Amino acid sequence: MTDPKRAGGASRAPRGGAPHQRGKRTGGQIALGLFKWIGILALTVAVLGVGAFVFIYANTTIPKPNDEFQTNVSTVYFSDGEQPMSTFFVHNRQSIPLSEMPENVKQAIVAAENETFWEDRGISVPGLMRAVQTALTPGVDTVGGSTITQQYVKVRYLTQDKTITRKLTEIMVALKVNQDLTKEEILEGYLNTVYFGRGAYGIQTAAQAYFSKDAKDLDDQQAIALSAIINAPNHLDPARGDKQRADLLERYQYTINQMVKVGYMTEARKDEIYTTLPDFPRLSVENRLGGPNGYLVNKVKDELLTAGFDAAQIEGGGLKIITTIDKRLQDAAVTAAANMAERIAKNSGEGHDPLWYHPAIASVDTKTGAILAEYNGPDFVTSEIPWAETPRATGSTFKPWALVAGLREGATLNTKFNGRNKLKIGDSEVSNAGGGNYGWITLQDMTTKSVNTAYVDMTMQMDDGPRKVAQAAIDAGALTEVDERHFQPSIALGYLEVSPLNAARALATLVNEGKRSDTHIVAEVRDAQGEVIYQPAIVQDQTIEPDIARNAAYALTKVVEDGTARGMRSLGYPTAGKTGTYYDSNKKETRSTWFIGATQQISTAVVLTGGEQGISDLGGNVYGSTYTAPGWLEFMKVAMEGKERIAFPGPTRMSETGNFTSPPIPRAAATSEPTASETPSPEPTPEPTPEPEPSPEPEPSPSETPSPEPPKAQPTPSQTPGGTPGRNRETPGAPGGGNG
């Protein structure tokens, strides 16, 4: 059995490695070792003489501390700065001043490890002799000979090598440290450095690891148990089994006896706590990157590295990192995403597990670009693909950028375009969802009703129209660049790929009157002393003309008030939004469904994809209004709770200056309204409220594909494990198009 009452010689963590596993040693072995070190010390003095010993001591300097034992845990917090999200660390350590360490901890440590600590000079020859005596006496508990100062020196300044040179150095440095530092400083350093098991270095982290509380809140039993554990942390953890618990009880009782002996505890108090260990709560094993928050923590680290922090600062600087993530909103995003996945898995009839689907949500502050919530997936450890930062084909949620391009070209919201079904482009034609004929239709109405042919007509009438649509998307922040091979008349129908985070950012640009902000997740960083050392610069670039942005945002409010997203009116806040479905008409597969929507305060994008790479068929009757729009609504009801209801400003008066024309359309060919299925009915409401399935957005006919077709490169995920997250890709999928 591991000797639980040996006061010294505890297992310690070697530099840069796991805690050293030390096996059982007999009393004779301990005695021989102690004799060896006493002999070395005596021989050194005898050979060199007192003068030489004094010379060596005078020329001994305290080494530079081991780097890993100077590190402290950096903690990542949600936006309130109070609720922790996760941690970064080299060694899991949080240093605290001696004043925050309870007396019961200090007394238990001194009584168990080095009862003469307050009087000795850093080493204790009598202590070494007692260790030899107890090792050779049958039936007497053995004690070790290293003082607290020596243990501290070995861990903080030296290596774990078992050599004569290292032991002599330990003795000399211990003497030096004892002279240069106060006893209080030595005890503080020791209690912030010693290893307690469970990956915890120092009393503060140990208190959290074993009892989920701060060190200052430890009761007597808990303090004594932790003081006992440091003797052999990997053998005395009660969670490891009954034998370890029994060994810990024995060491715990030895510590209590020592406290009574030294005068730190009364016999009466001993009787109250002697026979039982404290309760050790069952604590979940924490994986710092596990679960949905793992994606956020990884993003925090990447953002800090980009801002100029190095890995050593982040992982061992004891930083307090406050993010922009609102925990209430993040929880709502996790719930809404799970509900989307469960609903489609239940209703699709495809037999897929909910984990086969990839709902993603990104929500940002419309003014600052601060990320308020971001759902990338259920567990970063099992899949590192951040779906909220992975671009996917956008469907009709790309039409707002054609809207901006048209307004820039001189159109007004009253300018009319050809909304007739079956618009010819070369040898092919574009059709409208449900086959709706709209005739001459204003830019406002074709946005409200998501009319494909009218948007293609407008794009074709602009000089170099596809390039201007792409430029509008870049200016808003949806994309960073677009390859010229993607400049097709059907660009507004959404074969280009955008990530949900960038889609939310771009819509925020319109709501913010054309001022674009960079998204960010770090709000503030404070150093170990509490000083603010970093805050991101919030820069708003006027990338879209104010009147253009205002009119475009106003047009999108009509989509929610009167168009394909009328179900979102139940949010109760003025909203600009757009549904979108990307349908591969060649393969007859729905690859992604979207809803993007923004109030004056918050812009949120939601996308739903499926399959390992997020490009598999979602099945029939799946549209932007079916799952993503209700998911958006479920999240935004939480996000907007208690916020001011701010209306969007009306459109500015603009004169039509563009050279837009449309061929006459026979009156009989036009219908005043699209087919009834254009607008989902009944309006969808989010789970868990039971509801009839909303009428889907109409499926486009195969003839929707325009000509010339976009390149037929198959879409591939822009982020795979080990790749670079969040990069924009504009590779289109197989020819297809957007539906409202």
Side-chain angles (χ1 to χ4, degrees):
M1 182 180 78
T2 300
D3 182 1
K5 296 188 177 182
R6 181 168 48 81
S11 298
R12 298 290 182 266
R15 293 182 65 183
H20 174 64
Q21 300 291 331
R22 188 169 187 171
K24 173 183 176 183
R25 293 201 301 165
T26 65
Q29 288 173 322
I30 295 172
L32 287 174
L34 291 169
F35 271 132
K36 180 178 70 174
W37 297 120
I38 294 171
I40 290 168
L41 181 60
L43 182 62
T44 301
V45 174
V47 172
L48 298 178
V50 175
F53 187 84
V54 171
F55 175 81
I56 294 173
Y57 170 76
N59 286 277
T60 297
T61 58
I62 299 175
K64 177 185 176 183
N66 296 326
D67 289 341
E68 60 267 37
F69 288 100
Q70 291 184 289
T71 63
N72 279 287
V73 172
S74 292
T75 304
V76 182
Y77 292 87
F78 288 97
S79 59
D80 61 2
E82 298 294 333
Q83 300 180 84
M85 180 187 297
S86 189
T87 56
F88 297 114
F89 56 76
V90 177
H91 280 172
N92 190 11
R93 174 187 295 104
Q94 288 180 277
S95 296
I96 59 175
L98 192 67
S99 60
E100 293 184 17
M101 300 177 189
E103 286 300 313
N104 52 20
V105 168
K106 304 171 194 174
Q107 293 171 352
I109 288 288
V110 170
E113 293 292 317
N114 182 190
E115 62 182 85
T116 63
F117 169 73
W118 295 106
E119 295 82 33
D120 66 41
R121 297 186 177 182
I123 65 171
S124 175
V125 174
L128 292 173
M129 298 304 297
R130 282 195 304 274
V132 173
Q133 180 183 7
T134 58
L136 295 177
T137 304
V140 176
D141 299 323
T142 58
V143 298
S146 292
T147 63
I148 284 176
T149 307
Q150 285 176 265
Q151 294 179 49
Y152 175 54
V153 164
K154 181 172 64 173
V155 172
R156 183 170 174 79
Y157 299 105
L158 306 178
T159 70
Q160 303 299 304
D161 297 340
K162 299 181 183 302
T163 65
I164 293 175
T165 301
R166 202 276 300 158
K167 190 65 179 182
L168 284 173
T169 304
E170 175 190 308
I171 292 171
M172 292 296 182
V173 175
L175 291 168
K176 199 75 170 180
V177 166
N178 190 74
Q179 177 179 318
D180 290 0
L181 302 180
T182 66
K183 287 291 188 179
E184 288 77 9
E185 289 171 329
I186 293 171
L187 186 59
E188 176 182 302
Y190 176 77
L191 284 171
N192 278 321
T193 304
V194 67
Y195 183 62
F196 285 85
R198 298 192 182 182
Y201 292 82
I203 187 63
Q204 172 67 9
T205 309
Q208 292 286 348
Y210 285 91
F211 299 110
S212 191
K213 60 171 57 176
D214 290 333
K216 64 182 176 61
D217 298 322
L218 292 170
D219 63 30
D220 287 345
Q221 286 183 286
Q222 293 166 342
I224 294 167
L226 289 179
S227 300
I229 284 171
I230 67 170
N231 179 250
N234 292 326
H235 296 290
L236 298 179
D237 185 345
R240 296 173 67 90
D242 292 339
K243 180 181 183 301
Q244 288 77 9
R245 177 175 284 272
D247 287 350
L248 176 60
L249 177 60
E250 195 172 351
R251 177 69 187 179
Y252 168 83
Q253 291 174 339
Y254 166 79
T255 303
I256 291 175
N257 288 332
Q258 283 293 104
M259 293 180 73
V260 173
K261 173 187 173 183
V262 176
Y264 292 150
M265 182 177 290
T266 65
E267 287 286 349
R269 180 57 175 154
K270 169 185 171 179
D271 293 341
E272 293 173 352
I273 64 175
Y274 191 74
T275 58
T276 58
L277 291 168
D279 291 331
F280 287 84
R282 183 180 295 276
L283 303 177
S284 61
V285 177
E286 179 185 6
N287 187 318
R288 290 177 294 130
L289 293 178
N293 288 348
Y295 300 94
L296 306 178
V297 175
N298 192 57
K299 184 176 180 65
V300 166
K301 184 175 182 180
D302 287 344
E303 190 167 300
L304 290 178
L305 289 171
T306 301
F309 288 82
D310 59 36
Q313 285 178 287
I314 297 169
E315 296 176 355
L319 305 178
K320 181 175 183 178
I321 304 165
I322 302 174
T323 69
T324 60
I325 301 295
D326 185 311
K327 188 177 188 304
R328 185 174 62 90
L329 272 60
Q330 184 65 23
D331 290 345
V334 172
T335 300
N339 287 342
M340 279 191 285
E342 290 172 4
R343 285 184 65 211
I344 188 172
K346 176 182 177 181
N347 298 334
S348 69
E350 301 290 334
H352 295 306
D353 185 272
L355 293 176
W356 186 87
Y357 298 95
H358 307 300
I361 300 174
S363 186
V364 303
D365 184 288
T366 57
K367 301 298 188 291
T368 67
I371 301 172
L372 305 177
E374 184 177 299
Y375 180 82
N376 290 280
D379 185 25
F380 180 79
V381 173
T382 57
S383 173
E384 295 183 8
I385 302 176
W387 294 107
E389 299 187 24
T390 300
R392 284 295 171 260
T394 53
S396 288
T397 59
F398 205 79
K399 285 175 180 171
W401 318 124
L403 169 63
V404 169
L407 292 172
R408 281 175 163 177
E409 195 71 3
T412 71
L413 294 179
N414 293 319
T415 302
K416 293 186 176 182
F417 296 95
N418 183 359
R420 184 180 183 183
N421 197 31
K422 309 292 185 183
L423 178 65
K424 295 285 291 184
I425 306 176
D427 296 331
S428 297
E429 58 187 17
V430 176
S431 62
N432 291 321
N437 267 310
Y438 299 90
W440 291 76
I441 186 169
T442 65
L443 180 53
Q444 174 64 77
D445 287 345
M446 73 193 215
T447 300
T448 301
K449 299 171 182 178
S450 197
V451 181
N452 292 335
T453 56
Y455 263 98
V456 172
D457 177 43
M458 181 179 69
T459 302
M460 292 176 64
Q461 288 197 50
M462 290 188 286
D463 184 29
D464 207 4
R467 183 186 300 274
K468 291 175 179 176
V469 173
Q471 187 60 52
I474 292 170
D475 292 343
L479 300 170
T480 56
E481 59 182 0
V482 180
D483 191 286
E484 290 192 6
R485 65 193 179 98
H486 303 312
F487 292 159
Q488 305 293 336
S490 59
I491 190 171
L493 304 188
Y495 53 77
L496 292 180
E497 296 184 336
V498 175
S499 73
L501 181 60
N502 282 345
R505 175 199 188 194
L507 185 57
T509 300
L510 293 186
V511 173
N512 196 29
E513 297 186 336
K515 294 186 286 290
R516 184 185 69 199
S517 300
D518 290 333
T519 59
H520 59 281
I521 193 170
V522 177
E524 181 179 280
V525 179
R526 300 177 188 173
D527 63 17
Q529 288 71 46
E531 295 295 324
V532 176
I533 59 174
Y534 172 77
Q535 289 178 328
I538 307 301
V539 178
Q540 296 184 343
D541 295 320
Q542 190 74 55
T543 56
I544 295 178
E545 301 82 349
D547 56 343
I548 300 294
R550 178 173 172 176
N551 286 353
Y554 172 82
L556 293 174
T557 65
K558 296 301 181 182
V559 177
V560 175
E561 292 177 13
D562 304 312
T564 57
R566 285 186 295 180
M568 303 305 100
R569 289 181 301 183
S570 63
L571 177 64
Y573 287 82
T575 301
K578 189 73 187 74
T579 55
T581 304
Y582 182 73
Y583 179 76
D584 183 335
S585 56
N586 282 347
K587 294 186 176 181
K588 294 181 169 46
E589 293 181 350
T590 299
R591 299 290 185 86
S592 60
T593 68
W594 287 77
F595 186 75
I596 61 174
T599 63
Q600 284 287 339
Q601 298 99 320
I602 299 175
S603 176
T604 301
V606 181
V607 68
L608 179 63
T609 58
E612 182 178 356
Q613 298 181 355
I615 55 174
S616 298
D617 183 21
L618 294 174
N621 298 320
V622 180
Y623 307 95
S625 63
T626 317
Y627 300 108
T628 48
W632 179 94
L633 181 61
E634 180 180 357
F635 168 79
M636 286 293 285
K637 282 187 173 180
V638 176
M640 291 302 297
E641 184 178 353
K643 292 192 178 297
E644 182 182 359
R645 190 179 188 278
I646 305 175
F648 283 78
T652 62
R653 292 184 177 275
M654 298 178 64
S655 299
E656 184 173 320
T657 59
N659 296 316
F660 293 107
T661 60
S662 184
I665 300 174
R667 185 179 300 274
T671 58
S672 59
E673 292 292 332
T675 58
S677 61
E678 170 66 19
T679 301
S681 176
E683 297 173 356
T685 57
E687 294 278 29
T689 305
E691 64 168 2
E693 192 66 14
S695 299
E697 297 171 22
E699 177 175 309
S701 64
S703 62
E704 178 184 345
T705 304
S707 178
E709 298 177 347
K712 296 186 178 182
Q714 291 296 322
T716 56
S718 61
Q719 166 64 23
T720 55
T724 303
R727 290 175 51 195
N728 286 316
R729 289 178 63 256
E730 290 79 42
T731 303
N739 299 297

